[in-house]
Amino acid sequence: MIPLVIKKKAWGYIGIDIVDKYRIWDMEDYQWLSSIANIISIITKMARINEALEQGQKLLRNIYTNIPAGIELYDKEWLFD
């Protein structure tokens, strides 16, 4: 079993179970499974971050659309956009 880790905390585990024959796992097998676990962890973390960004954007868009005041947008040189 290899832990699936996000923010230094295990949130799940991955493993392979071969039931039809006995197998001794070598270091290459362990490294392969560990790499797969790392990829799954990274993809899951990215999906969570993406979801949080989308929720934040939706909230800001809702505020911008429904605020009962005028809003002006300027760039970093204070030029009207």
Side-chain angles (χ1 to χ4, degrees), residues 12-45:
Y13 295 89
I14 187 172
I16 297 177
D17 192 12
I18 299 175
V19 296
D20 62 342
K21 64 180 179 178
Y22 181 76
R23 178 178 168 99
I24 297 175
W25 296 88
D26 59 19
M27 185 54 73
E28 185 177 335
D29 296 325
Y30 175 79
Q31 289 173 339
W32 179 83
L33 186 58
S34 183
S35 294
I36 295 293
N38 286 336
I39 291 168
I40 292 170
S41 295
I42 290 167
I43 290 170
T44 302
K45 182 177 181 180

Side-chain angles (χ1 to χ4, degrees), residues 68-80:
I71 296 176
E72 293 181 354
L73 300 176
Y74 295 89
D75 64 12
K76 62 183 177 182
E77 284 87 31
W78 290 96
L79 298 174
F80 184 72

